[in-house]
Amino acid sequence: MIRVAAVGDVHLGEDARGRLRPALDNLAGHADVLLLAGDLTRHGALDEARVAAEEFAGLPVPVVAVLGNHDHHSDAADDIAKLLEDSGIRVLEGEAVTLEVGDQRLGVAGVKGFGGGFAGKCASNFGEREMKAFVGHTIERADRLRAALKTLDTDVRIALTHYSPIPETLRGEPPEIYPFLGCYQLGEVIDECGVDLAIHGHAHFGCEQGVTPGGVRVRNVAQPVIRSAFATYGLGS
Ligand SMILES: [Fe+2]
Ligand SMILES: [Fe+2]
């Protein structure tokens, strides 16, 4: 059994230095890998990212992350990704990583994703160029997730995103903002590629558990939802 720990939306700042570390130090007893589902910072500032890098560096298990919208706020996402990578945290944006866990191979494909909404209540690629740019970003990020998943030939596969692939894990959020919390295109890719688990964050007031139309387990690990340093899930044999 592969034990996956995951958390998103830790939104760290200078005043949060050392806050998560005590719970993370004994991670090896609970998990084989730690996934970070984006929004590691509050405003995407490098000082905040430095705190995140310190919290998640040098852990006893591999750490794999995607960034969230907050991490993009200061237009420094590339610098944040590099800073985290320099601390040994793998940051995925349309890429995949393969990890050996015991005698099994775990693949994680990650992308930030984007909003756009869900079947029947979604933005469409029509009208103003700003609207087409919005939906274009939605589609492009879903395409990147597909490409990343298709590179994986592992026993177990996980899709890691910041935005939600389904509306079910958004329950508790105002329905009016669902189009800003996720998009159906991510869910379609997850079903098309047949992953074993989909992890996302972003929906602080959503709920933890859902399932795609194709039957893939989805977990919203936003920290305000899971209310702990991380949630753990078992996968594989
Ligand atoms: Fe967040
Ligand atoms: Fe977010």
Side-chain angles (χ1 to χ4, degrees):
M1 167 99 67
I2 297 174
R3 301 164 304 167
V4 176
V7 63
D9 303 270
V10 292
H11 290 286
L12 295 169
E14 296 277 7
D15 59 341
R17 200 178 292 273
R19 192 185 77 190
L20 294 173
R21 195 65 195 201
L24 297 173
D25 273 332
N26 60 6
L27 202 55
H30 302 278
D32 301 300
V33 62
L34 173 64
L35 305 181
L36 303 176
D39 278 3
L40 308 183
T41 67
R42 290 175 192 159
H43 301 104
L46 277 176
D47 285 348
E48 297 171 336
R50 228 164 260 128
V51 175
E54 285 168 21
E55 290 291 281
F56 295 109
L59 291 179
V61 299
V63 182
V64 181
V66 293
L67 299 184
N69 57 315
H70 281 250
D71 307 319
H72 279 259
H73 183 64
S74 299
D75 267 334
D78 289 346
D79 293 334
I80 289 175
K82 179 165 188 326
L83 199 155
L84 294 169
E85 291 262 355
D86 288 346
S87 298
I89 298 158
R90 190 69 219 280
V91 181
L92 304 177
E93 184 54 44
E95 295 142 316
V97 62
T98 296
L99 304 166
E100 308 281 340
V101 181
D103 59 355
Q104 295 190 84
R105 295 169 76 233
L106 167 67
V108 181
V111 75
K112 173 181 68 70
F114 199 43
F118 301 92
K121 300 176 179 64
C122 58
S124 59
N125 193 11
F126 181 87
E128 298 93 328
R129 81 167 64 89
E130 289 83 359
M131 196 63 197
K132 285 186 274 207
F134 181 97
V135 177
H137 188 61
T138 305
I139 293 167
E140 191 247 345
R141 296 296 150 142
D143 286 345
R144 282 194 194 193
L145 178 64
R146 180 187 292 104
L149 281 167
K150 289 198 167 163
T151 65
L152 288 173
D153 177 25
T154 53
D155 303 302
V156 174
R157 294 195 295 173
I158 295 176
L160 174 63
T161 61
H162 181 60
Y163 287 79
S164 178
I166 58 167
E168 213 177 330
T169 45
L170 304 181
R171 281 176 320 202
E173 296 277 4
E176 291 85 353
I177 67 166
Y178 276 29
F180 305 107
L181 297 177
C183 65
Y184 73 90
Q185 289 92 341
L186 291 172
E188 281 188 350
V189 167
I190 285 164
D191 279 344
E192 178 191 324
C193 297
V195 309
D196 299 281
L197 177 68
I199 297 282
H200 75 88
H202 191 46
H204 293 206
F205 300 101
C207 61
E208 185 185 0
Q209 302 195 1
V211 63
T212 65
V216 176
R217 272 199 292 169
V218 178
R219 297 293 180 262
N220 172 12
V221 297
Q223 196 158 50
V225 171
I226 60 170
R227 294 184 187 173
S228 58
F230 51 84
T232 52
Y233 309 104
L235 280 173
S237 51

